[in-house]
Amino acid sequence: MDREAPGVDVRMLRALVAVVDEGSFTDAAIVLGVSQASVSRAVAALETTLGARLLQRTTRHVGLTVTGRRVLAHARRALDEVAAVRRVAQDGGGELRVGYAWSALGRHTTAVQRRWAAEHPGSALVLVQSNTRTAGLADGIADLAVLRRPADDDRVAGVVVGLERRYAAVAATDPLARRRRVRLADFAGRTIGVDALTGTTSEELWSSGVAPAGTREVHGVDEWLTLVAAGQAVGITSEATMRQHPRPGVVYRPVEDAPPVAVTLAWWRDDPHPQLAALRRLVVEAYGTSSD
């Protein structure tokens, strides 16, 4: 009896979409949390399975073929359906899974969890960390998500539920650590640690006259904190990071002239979770009690 050839699987589709969205195999691997070789193998396996070239590769560019464009549209829909299946299964398990990239709800996290447990005894509020643009929504591991930067995805809707002050993070030996407060101008000529995927800081915070010397890219809060503690860069982040991630050797100081960070509760635009309104109310009330 002939063996049936292996078919298309979710891993292959997710690799293709990530390469197209991120523009390279390297960046796709970072987003997916796998090796670049794994992404390359997944895309190659998809092309072999379909019997068609999907990507045009050069040393500087990755683009879609004509067939690739048609396949990509179906791949996105297939991944959306897989995510919907997972959400339905999780709904039935009595859990509300809320994704976040760095810091959940900051100092309000525990209070919201406790109020949720008291008001919804049949439903557990589970926080899921995912350092992706949609904090786990697009991967199907979260029902709702806490975002501190735009998702850049038309499928995702959101509402601002709170504001957080910005804090500088510097090494304990840095001269700025001796101050009670700092200003954006204090970072002129310095290197800023930036998570371009999910972070809240970019060079757009500064005017051209007081801009930092440059940025150093990190991938997630732990790498960012390690860089800061070593004195290899300084950082600016939301208050939530300061509350959730104290680190020996890192000192946080408020940045008095920086605009606040908007905290957004996000969901699938065409499939809002039935408990969205209930969680939104609790989070808005929690942030409403803040004096910051």
Side-chain angles (χ1 to χ4, degrees), residues 8 26 34 47 73 101 108 117 128 145-146 148 154 166-167 199 216-217 227 229 270-271 276:
V8 175
T26 299
V34 299
E47 291 179 322
H108 306 298
V128 183
V146 176
R148 290 179 173 84
D154 292 339
R166 292 185 193 259
Y167 276 71
R216 180 163 170 179
E217 187 171 353
L227 190 73
D270 61 353
D271 187 23
L276 167 62

Side-chain angles (χ1 to χ4, degrees), residues 50-225:
L50 298 179
R53 175 74 68 178
L54 304 178
L55 296 176
Q56 296 173 331
R57 305 164 177 83
T58 69
T59 56
R60 295 188 177 183
H61 177 71
V62 177
L64 286 164
T65 64
V66 174
T67 300
R69 291 185 182 280
R70 295 197 296 266
V71 170
L72 178 67
H74 291 283
R76 291 192 190 280
R77 288 196 290 271
L79 292 175
D80 287 346
E81 289 300 319
V82 170
V85 168
R86 288 176 174 170
R87 291 197 300 274
V88 169
Q90 290 163 359
D91 290 345
E95 291 183 348
L96 175 60
R97 300 176 67 84
V98 179
Y100 67 96
W102 276 37
S103 306
L105 298 171
R107 65 185 174 120
H108 306 298
T109 301
T110 301
V112 170
Q113 286 178 303
R114 288 174 177 170
R115 285 197 60 188
W116 183 268
E119 296 182 17
H120 304 272
S123 173
L125 180 60
V126 179
L127 298 174
V128 183
Q129 186 170 23
S130 175
N131 201 57
T132 61
R133 284 190 175 90
T134 62
L137 276 179
D139 301 320
I141 63 173
D143 305 305
L144 304 171
V146 176
L147 306 179
R148 290 179 173 84
R149 61 179 291 163
D152 295 328
D153 191 326
D154 292 339
R155 301 168 299 169
V156 175
V159 61
V160 174
V161 291
L163 297 174
E164 295 172 344
R165 296 180 63 180
R166 292 185 193 259
Y167 276 71
V170 300
T173 55
D174 192 293
L176 293 180
R178 296 196 291 270
R179 301 189 187 179
R180 295 183 62 184
R181 297 175 180 272
V182 298
R183 298 180 62 84
L184 288 172
D186 294 324
F187 296 90
R190 306 292 294 273
T191 298
I192 309 295
V194 172
D195 185 335
L197 187 64
T198 62
T200 58
T201 300
S202 71
E203 291 180 286
E204 295 177 357
L205 272 178
W206 288 268
S207 64
S208 58
V210 294
T215 62
R216 180 163 170 179
E217 187 171 353
V218 300
H219 306 101
V221 64
D222 189 67
E223 184 178 335
W224 180 79
L225 286 167

